[in-house]
């Protein structure tokens, strides 16, 4: 998943030039460019020029480029709009109507420009034109997704009419609520597949399960579980759902629908590949509270369709069987009363770390369910480090890594085990945005003029959530709140914003919180001197020299600071976007390894980690980066944790690992604020418990070092209007309502925004971590 930490997030593409006023990220993007020397410039070229002009505040040039695009391509855009009956859902579909997107974007830029000129009537007129005539137009966000220009226009009109927008999170009474009840859930809660078929070639690429008693298996598994595909048609609610016309809409939106009956019918009768369909049905059964039926559904994927795959929003492969195993283990752990464990289940996708699936091969062991008596389960006594013995030491300073003789890893600080209990800290004030150049530096902001930074020292907890500071709500400061939460680490990048060393020294000396310090290593063209498009080239010697100098500057500036935990390279560079690590991963990882060696030559006292994107190109990292000590990655997989991630990293690289970003919104469409907070908390709890299971001397891979929560505070600018706490879903994913609401990722919120940057409303996740981390 594509994220930038806190204040360094790229924001919407419309902002590239505006950001450059304060961030050097985009200096080369916004350099004055002559109009293309061709008779008919492309719509995309004109859009880029229009954004750049708008960012500089050049009204004349903004009008010139936007109007030229509209005049040249309006007719084609109108045709593409007319050809659609619904909003395109994925990147591939969206790009088919790129002319529509570009023309709608140019109208949007015109309206934005008029708003800056305080011509609200003119701006509103164009926003309404977009809503009426270009409702399917979408604009590209440099973080990796498209945003609806119609929705942004509606929000802008609302802002014009009211001055601001306050959104109340509440249940939608208009949505039909139904409870899924199955008349035939099957004769077996945990199916013994050996009674109905034969397993062949377990643990090999030739694995398969051959059904010999189909009728018996149909009766055993029950409704919705393969091969019982037709039983739903016998349910009374099946005909009622069709009669009421409750099946209209996108298949994937039904996964989180409160109309559980319609969702079940929609998915059991869908044309998705069997493995993907079973996973969707499993999610619906799980959300309906039918846990054993959900487990049967997930396990049927493992048994029958272990190589099944789907595609993410970004058109990258997603192997369903591996996720199904993780789901089963998660549900059994959360429901010990069921009395079963899944033993030996494992699916490996050979050659499965890239985007090309043509040579991927599944090696499958379906494992088996083993009945356990939880009252007689012997509590496992963890071995002590001294009794196991050390196999390998990495590093010479106070911060170092050790690998024990059982191959487990730990991070040690002053010879004591250190678990990374981290958080991304970027307390952005409501109304600020890099999109219009107003984003401040939280290390320096002092709005109440008391001589100290607002966020770290002057915030208060709005305990009763009345959006006021009452007498019993004194200023406490975020640093103290983080300490009380149990945080011991924050993650920062040394550029492009100025770092206040004295502030970080106090963070460490007073509150005991250390810093993982990072360099973007050319991501988003930061530090490489490249232009945004095509971005950093890891084969370009001059660009590599500049990035090396950037890293050297960081290490020399901070290596002797007591708060440094270790160094971090990149930020999910493998996803591309203003760099070519996605198309030249070998070159990228080789360069990252070269940089790691340079760091160690300057500072042998701190380990070096990388920040990658999930496990994309993990094999190439393992092959090309032996001098990088820790594999870190941004991963947003779901409430069950990270599945086979830890084992895959250990087997492919032999290294310890940590999660550089993980998180979940506290907003869910159709749910109350309290329910959504509970969803967020459960997501974070499952993620952390998975890390614990995979730490040294645990039940898992033994190489987990901890993780960094994303993030401390809701940031209101990420989805568009910085004065609006936006609730639109930016892209689909494994979240409570199926969508990422990126403005709601905070462990703490800012209430209605009127007391920003000082007000904090602590969510359930805060108190959960306070118990787990303290």
């Amino acid at each position: 998943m594509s994220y930038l930490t806190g204040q360094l997030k790229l924001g919407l593409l419309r902002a590239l030039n505006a950001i450059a006023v304060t961030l050097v990220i985009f200096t080369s993007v916004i350099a004055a460019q002559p109009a293309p020397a061709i008779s008919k410039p492309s719509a995309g070229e004109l859009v880029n020029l229009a954004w750049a002009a708008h960012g500089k505040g050049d009204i004349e040039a903004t009008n010139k480029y936007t109007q030229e695009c509209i005049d040249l391509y309006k007719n084609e855009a109108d045709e593409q709009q007319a050809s659609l009956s619904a909003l395109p859902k994925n990147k591939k579909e969206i790009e088919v109507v790129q002319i529509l997107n570009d023309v709608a974007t140019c109208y949007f830029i015109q309206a934005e420009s008029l708003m800056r000129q305080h011509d609200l009537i003119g701006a509103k007129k164009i926003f309404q034109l977009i809503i009426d005539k270009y409702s399917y137009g979408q604009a590209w966000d440099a973080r990796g997704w498209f945003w609806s220009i119609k929705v942004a226009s509606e929000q802008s009109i609302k802002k014009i009419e009211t001055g601001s927008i306050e959104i109340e999170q509440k249940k939608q009474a208009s949505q039909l609520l139904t409870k899924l009840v199955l008349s035939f859930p099957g004769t077996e809660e945990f199916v013994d597949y050996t009674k109905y078929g034969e397993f062949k070639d377990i643990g090999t690429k030739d694995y398969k399960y051959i059904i010999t008693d189909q009728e018996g298996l149909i009766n055993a598994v029950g409704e919705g579980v393969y091969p019982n595909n037709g039983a739903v048609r016998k349910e009374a609610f099946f005909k009622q759902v069709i009669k009421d016309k409750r099946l209209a809409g996108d298949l994937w939106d039904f996964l989180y629908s409160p109309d559980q009956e319609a969702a079940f019918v929609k998915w059991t009768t869908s044309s998705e590949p069997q493995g993907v369909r079973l996973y969707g049905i499993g999610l619906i059964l799980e959300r309906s509270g039918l846990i054993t039926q959900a487990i049967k559904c997930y396990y049927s994927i493992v048994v029958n369709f272990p190589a099944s795959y789907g595609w993410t929003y970004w058109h990258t492969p997603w192997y369903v069987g591996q996720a199904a195993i993780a789901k089963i283990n998660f549900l059994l752990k959360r429901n010990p009363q069921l009395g079963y464990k899944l033993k030996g289940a494992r699916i490996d996708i050979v050659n499965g770390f890239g985007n090309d699936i043509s040579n991927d091969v599944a090696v499958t062991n379906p494992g088996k369910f083993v009945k356990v008596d939880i009252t007689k389960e012997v509590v496992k006594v963890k071995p002590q480090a001294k009794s196991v013995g050390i196999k390998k030491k990495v590093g010479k300073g106070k911060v170092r890594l050790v690998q024990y003789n059982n191959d487990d890893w730990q991070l040690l600080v002053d010879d004591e085990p250190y678990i990374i209990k981290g958080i991304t800290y970027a307390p952005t004030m409501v109304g600020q945005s890099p999109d219009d150049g107003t984003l401040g530096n939280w290390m320096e902001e002092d709005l109440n003029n008391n001589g100290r930074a607002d966020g770290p020292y002057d915030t208060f907890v709005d305990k009763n959530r009345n959006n006021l500071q009452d007498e019993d709500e004194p200023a406490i400061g975020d640093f103290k709140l983080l300490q009380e939460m149990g945080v011991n680490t924050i993650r920062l990048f040394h550029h492009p914003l100025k770092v206040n060393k004295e502030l970080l020294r106090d963070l460490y000396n007073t509150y005991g919180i250390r810093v993982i310090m990072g360099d973007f290593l050319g991501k988003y063209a930061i530090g490489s001197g490249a232009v945004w498009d095509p971005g950093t080239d890891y084969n370009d010697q001059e660009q590599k020299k500049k990035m090396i100098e950037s890293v050297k500057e960081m290490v020399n500036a901070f290596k002797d600071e007591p708060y440094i935990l270790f160094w971090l390279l990149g930020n999910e560079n493998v996803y591309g976007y203003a760099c070519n690590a996605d198309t030249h991963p070998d070159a990228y990882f080789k360069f990252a390894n070269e940089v790691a060696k340079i760091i160690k030559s300057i500072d042998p006292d701190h380990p070096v980690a990388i920040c990658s994107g999930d496990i994309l190109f993990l094999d190439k990292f393992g092959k090309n980066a032996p001098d990088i000590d820790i594999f870190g990655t941004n991963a947003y997989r779901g409430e069950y944790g990270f599945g086979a991630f830890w084992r895959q990293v250990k087997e492919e690289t032999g290294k310890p690992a940590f999660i550089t970003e993980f998180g979940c919104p506290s907003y869910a469409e159709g749910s109350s604020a309290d329910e959504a907070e509970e969803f967020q908390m459960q997501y974070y709890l499952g993620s952390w418990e998975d890390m614990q299971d995979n730490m040294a001397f645990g039940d898992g891979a033994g190489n987990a070092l901890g993780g960094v929560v994303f993030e401390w505070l809701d940031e209101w600018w990420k989805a568009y209007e910085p004065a609006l706490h936006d609730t639109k879903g930016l892209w689909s994913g494994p979240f409570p309502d199926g969508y990422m609401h990126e403005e709601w990722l905070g462990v703490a919120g800012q209430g209605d925004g009127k007391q920003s940057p000082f007000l904090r409303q602590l969510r359930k996740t805060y108190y959960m971590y306070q118990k787990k981390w303290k």
Side-chain angles (χ1 to χ4, degrees):
M1 300 199 178
S2 184
Y3 293 92
L4 241 183
T5 301
Q7 294 157 312
L8 304 179
K9 290 231 177 205
L10 294 177
L12 305 177
L13 188 58
R14 68 181 191 280
L16 295 185
N17 194 64
I19 302 174
V21 176
T22 53
L23 305 186
V24 296
I25 303 174
F26 305 121
T27 52
S28 50
V29 178
I30 64 169
Q33 302 178 41
I38 53 177
S39 57
K40 183 180 178 180
S42 72
E45 289 170 331
L46 291 169
V47 167
N48 289 338
L49 290 168
W51 277 134
H54 179 56
K56 290 175 63 177
D58 189 336
I59 296 171
E60 183 178 351
T62 299
N63 291 338
K64 176 181 181 294
Y65 293 128
T66 55
Q67 197 58 49
E68 185 175 0
C69 181
I70 292 167
D71 292 342
L72 287 172
Y73 296 102
K74 180 180 181 300
N75 291 340
E76 190 174 347
D78 291 346
E79 291 174 2
Q80 290 184 355
Q81 170 75 19
S83 71
L84 299 172
S85 58
L87 192 72
K89 285 287 186 179
N90 58 57
K91 191 171 185 285
K92 190 174 181 181
E93 293 176 0
I94 295 168
E95 289 175 344
V96 171
V97 291
Q98 190 58 50
I99 296 297
L100 165 62
N101 299 332
D102 289 337
V103 169
T105 298
C106 281
Y107 274 121
F108 187 82
I109 296 171
Q110 285 188 349
E112 283 270 285
S113 180
L114 289 172
M115 283 188 71
R116 284 192 181 183
Q117 300 170 58
H118 306 290
D119 183 358
L120 302 184
I121 295 175
K124 184 176 178 181
K125 182 178 179 181
I126 296 179
F127 284 135
Q128 191 62 52
L129 172 69
I130 294 169
I131 295 166
D132 294 339
K133 295 197 64 176
Y134 302 102
S135 57
Y136 298 139
Q138 298 181 71
W140 175 246
D141 185 305
R143 287 168 292 169
W145 57 77
F146 285 87
W147 50 276
S148 168
I149 304 172
K150 174 189 173 183
V151 172
S153 298
E154 291 172 338
Q155 293 167 351
S156 293
I157 288 176
K158 186 69 175 176
K159 185 176 181 181
I160 289 171
E161 293 175 343
T162 65
S164 65
I165 306 172
E166 295 179 19
I167 293 182
E168 180 183 356
Q169 200 172 358
K170 60 184 179 180
K171 284 185 176 294
Q172 296 183 352
S174 60
Q175 289 188 307
L176 181 64
L177 301 172
T178 63
K179 177 75 173 177
L180 180 62
V181 178
L182 300 181
S183 60
F184 184 64
T187 59
E188 296 184 38
E189 283 193 331
F190 289 84
V191 178
D192 182 359
Y193 276 85
T194 61
K195 291 162 46 177
Y196 311 106
E198 184 179 0
F199 290 99
K200 294 280 191 180
D201 299 313
I202 290 175
T204 75
K205 63 182 179 59
D206 298 316
Y207 162 84
K208 58 184 174 181
Y209 175 70
I210 301 173
I211 300 174
T212 57
D213 181 4
Q214 181 150 323
E215 183 176 351
L217 184 57
I218 286 174
N219 289 329
V221 297
E223 283 185 66
V225 183
Y226 181 84
N228 193 341
N229 294 327
V232 66
R233 299 179 184 276
K234 300 177 183 178
E235 290 280 12
F237 64 75
F238 179 83
K239 293 182 179 179
Q240 191 64 45
V241 164
I242 296 175
K243 180 181 178 182
D244 295 342
K245 299 180 179 180
R246 288 151 54 190
L247 299 178
D250 183 77
L251 174 71
W252 291 90
D253 289 340
F254 275 79
L255 282 179
Y256 303 92
S257 170
D259 187 353
Q260 295 174 358
E261 292 177 344
F264 188 68
V265 172
K266 185 83 169 181
W267 270 87
T268 53
T269 59
S270 75
S271 59
E272 287 290 318
Q274 282 279 16
V276 175
R277 176 162 50 145
L278 286 166
Y279 194 86
I281 295 169
L283 285 176
I284 294 164
L285 291 167
E286 186 181 339
R287 288 174 62 85
S288 303
L290 304 175
I291 302 301
T292 55
Q293 197 68 6
I295 291 173
K296 282 193 287 184
C297 205
Y298 293 136
Y299 192 57
S300 70
I301 300 171
V302 179
V303 170
N304 299 289
F305 309 102
S308 184
Y309 61 87
W311 295 97
T312 68
Y313 177 90
W314 298 275
H315 205 67
T316 56
W318 164 62
Y319 282 96
V320 185
Q322 293 178 330
I325 292 174
K327 271 285 190 181
I328 293 167
N329 290 330
F330 170 75
L331 290 175
L332 290 176
K333 182 177 179 179
R334 283 291 177 90
N335 296 275
Q337 74 280 1
L338 295 177
Y340 276 89
K341 288 185 177 180
L342 179 60
K343 298 283 190 179
R346 172 169 173 163
I347 299 173
D348 293 319
I349 307 299
V350 180
N351 304 317
F353 294 119
N355 288 325
D356 180 7
I357 64 169
S358 61
N359 63 345
D360 291 1
V361 177
V363 175
T364 306
N365 184 336
K368 62 179 180 179
F369 287 103
V370 177
K371 191 165 183 59
V372 294
D373 186 345
I374 59 174
T375 63
K376 297 181 180 179
E377 280 278 277
V378 177
V379 178
K380 181 179 177 181
V381 178
K382 289 187 177 183
Q384 297 297 312
K386 291 182 180 180
S387 65
V388 176
I390 294 175
K391 175 181 180 180
K392 181 180 181 181
K393 296 180 180 180
V394 178
K396 301 177 181 179
K398 292 183 177 181
V399 182
R400 54 195 175 89
L401 294 157
V402 294
Q403 185 179 32
Y404 298 99
N405 286 321
N406 66 348
D407 290 330
D408 287 2
W409 284 93
Q410 278 188 332
L411 179 67
L412 301 184
V413 177
D414 293 324
D415 290 323
E416 293 294 327
Y418 189 97
I419 296 171
I420 301 169
K421 302 171 184 177
I423 201 162
T424 298
Y425 182 72
T428 305
M429 181 179 177
V430 169
Q432 289 186 354
S433 171
D435 299 341
D436 55 17
T438 59
L439 186 65
N441 185 342
W442 64 266
M443 293 189 177
E444 299 176 343
E445 289 182 315
D446 179 18
L447 298 183
N448 58 7
N449 297 312
N450 66 353
R452 58 186 188 180
D454 297 327
Y457 300 112
D458 294 332
T459 58
F460 69 93
V461 177
D462 180 20
K463 293 183 291 186
N464 59 8
R465 300 198 178 189
N466 67 349
N467 291 294
L468 298 172
Q469 184 173 12
D470 299 318
E471 290 185 2
D472 63 342
E473 296 171 344
I476 183 172
D478 286 343
F479 283 0
K480 182 62 175 177
L481 291 173
L482 293 175
Q483 181 190 47
E484 292 183 352
M485 179 177 164
V487 171
N488 64 7
T489 311
I490 66 170
R491 171 188 159 192
L492 290 177
F493 287 89
H494 77 105
H495 54 174
L497 298 178
K498 181 181 178 182
V499 174
N500 185 331
K501 289 185 178 182
E502 289 299 325
L503 191 68
L504 296 184
R505 288 169 187 162
D506 188 54
L507 175 69
Y508 172 69
N509 291 326
T510 304
Y511 304 97
I513 298 173
R514 296 176 181 267
V515 176
I516 297 172
M517 186 67 75
D519 184 285
F520 283 109
L521 206 62
K523 183 65 188 287
Y524 317 109
I526 302 176
S528 67
V531 297
W532 176 268
D533 187 10
T536 299
D537 180 357
Y538 295 103
N539 297 297
D540 186 293
Q541 295 303 317
E542 289 302 315
Q543 292 183 25
K544 289 198 288 185
K545 287 179 182 178
K546 291 178 180 178
M547 287 184 278
I548 288 172
E549 288 306 311
S550 174
V551 171
K552 286 182 176 179
E553 178 187 342
M554 171 185 73
V555 178
N556 283 318
F558 295 98
K559 65 184 177 67
D560 296 322
E561 295 295 330
Y563 49 78
I564 293 295
L565 184 63
F566 54 77
W567 309 108
L568 187 67
L569 298 177
N571 188 66
E572 58 191 26
N573 300 42
V574 293
Y575 289 149
Y577 309 122
C579 77
N580 67 357
D582 57 332
T583 54
H584 294 81
D586 287 297
Y588 168 64
F589 286 125
K590 286 178 181 178
F591 175 63
N593 192 69
E594 177 186 351
V595 171
K597 289 193 288 186
I598 292 171
I599 291 175
K600 292 179 180 182
S601 71
I602 303 171
D603 174 30
D605 295 336
H606 297 96
V608 180
I610 199 164
C611 174
S612 202
D614 210 283
I615 56 169
L616 187 60
F617 305 126
L618 177 63
D619 53 340
K620 296 184 182 298
F621 168 80
K623 181 179 70 173
N624 294 305
D627 295 287
I628 294 178
D629 304 311
I630 305 168
F631 182 78
T633 201
N634 297 349
Y636 295 76
R637 294 193 178 188
E639 82 287 356
Y640 62 81
F642 308 96
F645 167 80
W646 309 102
R647 173 177 60 79
Q648 290 170 319
V649 173
K650 190 169 188 177
E651 293 177 352
E652 199 68 29
T653 74
K655 297 180 185 295
F658 80 114
I659 305 299
T660 44
E661 281 186 24
F662 67 103
C664 175
S666 66
Y667 175 87
E669 189 73 25
S671 298
S672 68
D674 186 70
E675 290 169 333
E677 278 195 35
E678 181 69 21
F679 292 149
Q680 183 196 46
M681 186 271 287
Q682 292 295 335
Y683 186 111
Y684 273 116
L685 176 62
S687 297
W688 184 254
E689 288 182 340
D690 183 61
M691 292 180 203
Q692 287 182 305
D693 289 343
N694 286 281
M695 290 177 186
F697 314 120
D699 295 328
N703 63 336
L705 303 181
V708 180
V709 169
F710 195 91
E711 60 184 323
W712 165 245
L713 187 68
D714 287 349
E715 294 183 274
W716 286 31
W717 63 269
K718 293 179 180 177
Y720 180 54
E721 289 286 355
L724 161 67
H725 206 182
D726 202 318
T727 60
K728 68 174 179 284
L730 296 178
W731 45 270
S732 57
F735 303 108
D737 65 355
Y739 288 93
M740 167 57 85
H741 302 276
E742 197 172 353
E743 294 195 358
W744 295 79
L745 286 170
V747 170
Q750 301 199 60
D752 64 7
K754 294 178 181 179
Q755 295 290 323
S756 179
F758 301 106
L759 180 144
R760 301 290 184 261
Q761 292 180 353
L762 304 181
R763 295 186 172 126
K764 294 181 181 181
T765 299
Y766 177 91
Y767 298 105
M768 179 275 292
Y769 276 127
Q770 191 174 63
K771 292 180 181 179
K772 301 289 284 188
W773 285 356
K774 295 284 279 188

